Amino acid sequence: MLSSVFSAGLAGIDGFLVTVECNQKNTLEGFDLVGLPDLAVREAKERVRTACSNSGYPFPFSKITVNLAPADRKKEGSGYDAAILAAIFQGSGVIRRGVDLSKCCILGELSLSGALRPVRGALSMCLCAKDAGLTDLFLPVENAKEAATVEGIAVHPTPNMRALVAHLNGEALIPPLPTSPFSASMQTYPVDFADVKGQAMAKRAMEIAAAGGHNILLIGPPGTGKSMLAKRLPTILPPLSFPEAIETTKIHSVMGDLGDAPIVTCRPFRAPHHTMSPVSMVGGGATPMPGEVSLAHNGVLFLDEFPEFPKQVTDSLRQPMEDRKVTITRASGRVTFPCAFMLVAAMNPCRCGFFGHPTKACTCRPDDVKRYISKISGPVLDRIDIQIELPSLSYEELAAKGQGGETSAVIRERVVRARERAYDRMKNDGIYCNAQLDAAGIRKYCPVDDKASALLKAAYDKLGLSARGYDRVLRVARTIADLDGSDVILSQHMAEAIQLRSLDRKYWG
C-alpha cells in the first residue's frame, strides 16, 4: 500500500516542500528510510515506532520503505517525524481510507509518548506550504502562534498523534487558530533619547544615521555616552513593516530564539562580544546558520570596543555591509542570508582612552595610538558613512536637572518623515533609504547646487577621500536635505555631511 503526505524542511532561512512517501508490503518486517536523511532524520525510525505504540496504535508488521522527496536534497532535523508516522497510518488504515491529505502539511518532532515537540523555522515552512497551494498545516502547539501570522492557510495546533488522527478521521476536529493581526511595537524599549545629557552633535548624528540607514562610528573617551546612544538608536527608527517583520522573524525562528513572541515586532538590536569568531559574525558552520549580521537584519548591530574585535572579524563585515546579504558555500550547497543592518561601532581614541582629552593625560605613545587606530582597516572605515567624536561631558551638563533633551518619539517623527520622503522619491527603483544608493542612484537622486559642489571638491582634496568616501558624503548630505525638506543638496547640507567625516583627517590622515 502506497501513501504520501506533505511536510517541509529548511534550506537556510527558507522552507521547501518535502513529500513523505510510504510503501508497505506484507512480507518480512523492516523499516527503511531513504531520501538523503541526516542522522537526526534516520533516528526517526525509533521515535516513530515507539510513539506509535505509546499512542495506542499497533505498529504495522510489514516491510516499510519511507522516501523523503526530492531525494537529491539533504533532509536535516527532526521535524519530519509526525509526517512519517501519518504516512504509515494512512497506509495501514489507522487514518481511514479515502481521507484526502493532498492539501495538508504536517510538521513536528515526536516524543516517545506520541506528543509533538516544537521545531525551528515554523514560519518559513508555513510560508512554503502556503506558496505550494496547501490549505491546512498541522504542527506542534508551541509553533502555532508563529505560523498563524501567515494568512491564507489554516494552522491547527496539534498536541499529539492521537489528536491528529482523530481530526483527520472526523472524530474530534482541531480548530485552526485565527490569523494574528500584525502590529509593530515601539513601546517595548525601556530606554529613551531623553536620558542622554549633553552630546547634542552626537544626537544629531544618530538622527541623521536613522533617517538614512547609515552606518556610524562613535569615538570618545570612556563615559561619554557612546553605549547609551547606540542602545537608544532602535527607539528612533521607523516601525517595522509587515514584510520586514516576516523576514526578520524567519531568521530568528531558524535560530530558535523567538521566545514567547510569535513574531518579531520591533527592530533587533545585537551587541556581540569582541571575542567572537568570523563564523559567529557572518554565519556558517557545517550546516550553515545565520550569524550576528543576519540576526541584526532590519535592525542595529552594535560593536563596542571596535578595535578589540579580531581584524579577521571586522574585515568579514566588508561584503555584508556593501551587499546587504551573505552567501555561504559548503559542500552540501550554497545558502544566502539577508543582512540589511545598521552598524553602530564605538571605540576609544586610543588604548588608554584619553587621547585628545582636555584634562586627562594620555599615557599612550604616538606610535601606540596609530597602531590602535590602524586595527580598523581603511576599507571597513570607508563603509561607515558617519564618524563622530564625542567630547567629555562637563559637570554642568551632567548635573543639569530635568531630561537631556528631546524624547525618542519626537526624534522618530522627523526620522519617519525623512524616510517617507526618500521612499517616495526612489520607490520605483526599489530603494528604501539613502544608504542603499549606488553610484547610478547618487547621480539620479542627489542634485547638488554650485556652492555645495565647490565645498565637496575642496573637502575631497583636503581629506583625501576615496571614491567610496565621496559617495558616502553625498548619501549623508542627501539624508540631511531630506530632514530639512529640501529637494536639492545645499551648501549647509554638504557642510554638515563633511563635518561628519572629518575624523578621517584627524585619525587616519
Side-chain angles (χ1 to χ4, degrees):
M1 178 68 183
L2 179 64
S3 58
S4 66
V5 300
F6 288 112
S7 188
L10 287 173
I13 64 168
D14 297 315
F16 65 95
L17 204 65
V18 174
T19 304
V20 180
E21 301 171 325
C22 177
N23 187 70
Q24 301 181 43
K25 283 187 177 182
N26 295 324
T27 58
L28 294 177
E29 184 181 18
F31 194 165
D32 291 328
L33 185 58
V34 298
L36 214 57
D38 73 349
L39 180 60
V41 180
R42 290 197 297 270
E43 289 177 343
K45 293 189 291 184
E46 299 307 320
R47 291 193 296 272
V48 164
R49 189 188 301 271
T50 307
C52 176
S53 300
N54 289 333
S55 296
Y57 303 107
F59 195 78
F61 186 84
S62 58
K63 173 64 175 177
I64 298 174
T65 302
V66 174
N67 177 45
L68 305 178
D72 62 344
R73 195 165 192 171
K74 190 173 183 179
K75 317 301 184 307
E76 299 172 332
S78 55
Y80 305 104
D81 294 2
I84 292 171
L85 186 51
I88 294 172
F89 281 166
Q90 187 183 36
S92 63
V94 173
I95 296 176
R96 293 173 186 166
R97 301 283 195 273
V99 173
D100 185 12
L101 299 181
S102 62
K103 295 294 183 180
C104 298
C105 182
I106 301 173
L107 305 173
E109 176 188 330
L110 286 176
S111 73
L112 298 185
S113 66
L116 268 65
R117 287 178 169 160
V119 295
R120 293 184 177 185
L123 178 61
S124 300
M125 292 186 279
C126 181
L127 289 167
C128 162
K130 176 196 170 185
D131 293 341
L134 305 186
T135 59
D136 292 271
L137 175 65
F138 299 89
L139 78 173
V141 174
E142 293 87 347
N143 295 128
K145 287 185 179 180
E146 175 187 340
T149 57
V150 179
E151 295 182 348
I153 186 168
V155 176
H156 303 269
T158 308
N160 51 55
M161 289 304 296
R162 289 194 66 85
L164 176 63
V165 171
H167 175 94
L168 296 176
N169 286 336
E171 298 166 356
L173 298 182
I174 303 173
L177 284 182
T179 302
S180 303
F182 173 75
S183 176
S185 172
M186 297 300 296
Q187 306 301 320
T188 58
Y189 296 108
V191 295
D192 194 282
F193 257 83
D195 302 332
V196 183
K197 295 185 177 182
Q199 303 298 3
M201 188 173 179
K203 291 180 185 177
R204 171 66 175 171
M206 297 297 278
E207 180 180 338
I208 295 169
H214 303 290
N215 302 317
I216 182 169
L217 174 64
L218 306 174
I219 303 179
T224 51
K226 301 186 293 295
S227 297
M228 283 187 71
L229 288 166
K231 291 174 182 177
R232 284 154 180 76
L233 180 59
T235 68
I236 64 172
L237 291 174
L240 276 176
S241 65
F242 183 64
E244 286 178 326
I246 289 293
E247 194 168 38
T248 305
T249 301
K250 285 168 64 176
I251 298 170
H252 289 261
S253 176
V254 167
M255 294 298 290
D257 64 354
L258 274 181
D260 296 330
I263 188 172
V264 175
T265 57
C266 54
R267 296 189 180 274
F269 180 85
R270 305 291 298 186
H273 195 261
H274 62 258
T275 54
M276 70 186 311
S277 67
V279 170
S280 300
M281 178 64 82
V282 299
T287 300
M289 296 294 284
E292 289 293 335
V293 295
S294 296
L295 290 168
H297 181 59
N298 291 322
V300 176
L301 177 64
F302 176 45
L303 303 183
D304 200 5
E305 305 295 345
F306 196 39
E308 299 299 332
F309 283 81
K311 192 172 179 63
Q312 191 177 4
V313 172
T314 55
D315 283 348
S316 70
L317 292 170
R318 290 158 59 173
Q319 184 262 337
M321 290 167 66
E322 198 74 20
D323 298 341
R324 295 174 174 258
K325 61 182 180 181
V326 173
T327 300
I328 299 170
T329 304
R330 294 290 182 269
S332 57
R334 185 171 61 179
V335 174
T336 298
F337 298 118
C339 59
F341 61 91
M342 282 182 61
L343 174 67
V344 180
M347 59 179 287
N348 296 328
C350 64
R351 185 168 293 281
C352 78
F354 298 109
F355 174 70
H357 196 280
T359 59
K360 296 186 178 181
C362 175
T363 60
C364 303
R365 295 176 300 178
D367 288 346
D368 294 335
V369 175
K370 290 183 178 180
R371 193 177 302 113
Y372 183 75
I373 298 298
S374 66
K375 288 183 177 181
I376 305 173
S377 67
V380 172
L381 182 68
D382 253 357
R383 289 167 169 82
I384 300 178
D385 302 357
I386 299 173
Q387 309 145 14
I388 184 72
E389 188 173 21
L390 279 69
S392 298
L393 295 174
S394 66
Y395 173 80
E396 288 73 20
E397 288 174 314
L398 288 173
K401 294 182 180 180
Q403 293 184 322
E406 293 179 313
T407 65
S408 293
V410 172
I411 300 173
R412 186 168 64 241
E413 288 179 5
R414 295 197 295 266
V415 168
V416 170
R417 285 198 298 269
R419 287 254 187 156
E420 289 173 348
R421 185 181 184 89
Y423 175 74
D424 290 341
R425 180 177 61 245
M426 304 180 295
K427 60 185 178 182
N428 292 333
D429 290 340
I431 301 173
Y432 305 104
C433 61
N434 293 322
Q436 294 177 300
L437 287 170
D438 57 12
I442 289 172
R443 290 193 299 271
K444 184 176 180 180
Y445 295 116
C446 296
V448 182
D449 75 352
D450 292 340
K451 289 184 179 179
S453 181
L455 196 60
L456 178 59
K457 181 181 185 304
Y460 183 85
D461 294 336
K462 195 168 184 180
L463 296 179
L465 296 176
S466 66
R468 186 180 284 113
Y470 170 87
D471 288 346
R472 301 284 175 182
V473 170
L474 280 172
R475 290 174 194 167
V476 174
R478 175 69 271 174
T479 299
I480 297 171
D482 286 337
L483 284 166
D484 201 27
S486 174
D487 293 328
V488 178
I489 298 173
L490 305 177
S491 58
Q492 63 266 31
H493 306 143
M494 187 66 73
E496 187 173 8
I498 293 169
Q499 187 181 22
L500 295 175
R501 283 194 71 93
S502 62
L503 295 181
D504 282 347
R505 177 179 58 190
K506 180 173 181 181
Y507 290 97
W508 282 268

